[in-house]
Amino acid sequence: MTAPFSSLADFRALLQSQPSADAAALQGAMDRNGQLTKPPGALGRLEELALWYASWSGDPRPKMDAPQVVIFAGNHGVTDQGVSAFPAEVTVQMVANFEHGGAAINQLSNAFGAKMTVHALDLDRPTGDFTKEPAMSEADCVAALQAGWDAVDPGADVLVAGEMGIGNTTSAAAIGAALFGGDAENWTGRGTGVDDAGLINKVRVVSEGLARHDLSDPLEVLRCLGGRELAAMAGAIASARAHRVPVILDGFICTAAASVLEKTQRGALDHAVAGHLSAEGAHRQMLDAIGKEPLLSLGLRLGEGSGAALALGVLKGAIACHSGMSTFAEAGVAAG
């Protein structure tokens, strides 16, 4: 599906008219959940997860047969400021690794039966150094949003959006501070593993970016401080909503991209759950700010969509229990 917008104003308007969950499917799922052979609430968050999924799939007894993982890669001009422990060339090298099936996300996608695609976004043309200029022009930002939108398979039944981009924890930290307030120190972590001096430098870079740009509009925050892969993830998450495809959010960088949508239009992430809590320190406060409780907390900080892909197993388990269990009547078990 070709993206139905050609400007940031168009994209903002689109977010204001996105579909809602299926109330009838939710009610049917709630009725079924109340009849299953278990004490009420015994499956904890699995029950909540199944009800959420049913409401967006439009089926009170849903299945999950076609998960999709999309990985977006972009290069950041802000890496010239020495914010990463790895050089920008690693982005290109990792894209090749994804394409040859050698990365962690390839293994996790295969483990949970997800179709995975990789989208390299103008890697030979890094974004601007946001300490000196906006990271993207409006045209570049819109093109990245469109790339994300178009990458979503309307036939998918759940979406994981991941990323690769040396320097993108710096962008995510700047976006977090711009959207939710607070000092750069509160949002900036070690990312790829910078040392103490590197962290001090990274905080400086984020602070300079915050001071340079107008932060009053969330989409302008994305344009000025983000990257093509962050914009593409935002576009993909919005596209999934248009197709009523549920979304599992990944870590700090994905959550930063998603937060732009929520700050632009309240409720824009109702079709999304948080797959995991990243080891990047500010991820928890970002999840709290958008009202999401992570499904997993395993100390992951890889990106690539890896934590969200792992959470596909939790979602599969929730759906299997909800849709496969017998009711008390079917099992001939006396209800309490």
Side-chain angles (χ1 to χ4, degrees), residues 136-226:
M136 294 174 281
S137 66
E138 179 170 356
D140 282 342
C141 188
V142 169
L145 287 165
Q146 291 171 332
W149 184 283
D150 294 344
V152 176
D153 179 359
D157 48 25
V158 64
L159 177 75
V160 167
E163 43 61 41
M164 177 64 211
I166 297 300
N168 62 13
T169 58
T170 304
S171 278
I175 288 172
L179 294 180
F180 301 117
D183 296 333
E185 291 89 344
N186 296 331
W187 291 97
T188 308
R190 295 184 185 271
T192 51
V194 295
D195 60 17
D196 289 348
L199 180 60
I200 291 170
N201 178 59
K202 195 172 174 183
V203 169
R204 172 192 65 81
V205 169
V206 172
S207 296
E208 289 183 8
L210 295 172
R212 174 165 287 274
H213 303 288
D214 180 2
L215 308 177
S216 60
D217 176 5
L219 293 180
E220 280 293 296
V221 168
L222 177 64
R223 182 181 77 83
C224 293
L225 300 174

Side-chain angles (χ1 to χ4, degrees), residues 22-321:
D22 187 322
L26 175 59
Q27 186 59 55
M30 292 172 64
D31 292 344
R32 174 174 175 75
N33 185 56
Q35 300 169 32
L36 297 177
T37 48
K38 59 175 179 60
L43 287 176
R45 286 196 67 194
L46 291 187
E47 297 182 28
E48 299 172 15
L49 197 58
L51 296 177
W52 163 81
Y53 184 83
S55 74
W56 286 101
S57 69
D59 185 347
R61 193 172 183 175
K63 297 180 180 179
M64 192 180 84
D65 300 318
Q68 182 185 15
V69 174
V70 290
I71 308 298
F72 302 103
N75 271 325
H76 293 252
V78 77
T79 58
D80 290 345
Q81 298 282 339
V83 295
S84 175
F86 291 90
E89 292 78 15
V90 170
T91 302
V92 174
Q93 295 163 2
M94 281 301 299
V95 167
N97 194 28
F98 296 143
E99 292 174 342
H100 290 97
I105 188 57
N106 297 96
Q107 318 321 313
L108 293 168
S109 296
N110 291 338
F112 297 108
K115 176 184 177 183
M116 177 184 151
T117 56
V118 182
H119 305 265
L121 304 169
D122 292 334
L123 297 185
D124 58 344
R125 194 165 63 91
T127 56
D129 177 349
F130 66 57
T131 67
K132 301 176 180 178
E133 62 182 333
M136 294 174 281
S137 66
E138 179 170 356
D140 282 342
C141 188
V142 169
L145 287 165
Q146 291 171 332
W149 184 283
D150 294 344
V152 176
D153 179 359
D157 48 25
V158 64
L159 177 75
V160 167
E163 43 61 41
M164 177 64 211
I166 297 300
N168 62 13
T169 58
T170 304
S171 278
I175 288 172
L179 294 180
F180 301 117
D183 296 333
E185 291 89 344
N186 296 331
W187 291 97
T188 308
R190 295 184 185 271
T192 51
V194 295
D195 60 17
D196 289 348
L199 180 60
I200 291 170
N201 178 59
K202 195 172 174 183
V203 169
R204 172 192 65 81
V205 169
V206 172
S207 296
E208 289 183 8
L210 295 172
R212 174 165 287 274
H213 303 288
D214 180 2
L215 308 177
S216 60
D217 176 5
L219 293 180
E220 280 293 296
V221 168
L222 177 64
R223 182 181 77 83
C224 293
L225 300 174
R228 290 185 179 88
E229 78 277 35
L230 280 91
M233 283 191 291
I237 294 165
S239 179
R241 176 66 171 262
H243 296 107
R244 288 192 170 89
V245 176
V247 171
I248 302 179
L249 301 176
D250 194 43
F252 184 54
I253 299 152
C254 177
T255 306
S259 294
V260 171
L261 303 177
E262 184 66 24
K263 288 292 285 186
T264 302
Q265 179 62 42
R266 186 177 178 87
L269 299 179
D270 288 352
H271 67 308
V273 294
H276 78 121
L277 176 64
S278 169
E280 190 73 4
H283 191 209
R284 166 59 79 176
Q285 63 180 329
M286 191 177 282
L287 289 174
D288 289 346
I290 62 172
K292 303 292 182 186
E293 183 64 28
L295 297 174
L296 301 170
S297 180
L298 299 171
L300 306 178
R301 57 180 182 87
L302 178 62
E304 302 180 5
S306 53
L310 193 59
L312 285 169
V314 178
L315 179 57
K316 278 194 169 188
I319 295 166
C321 289

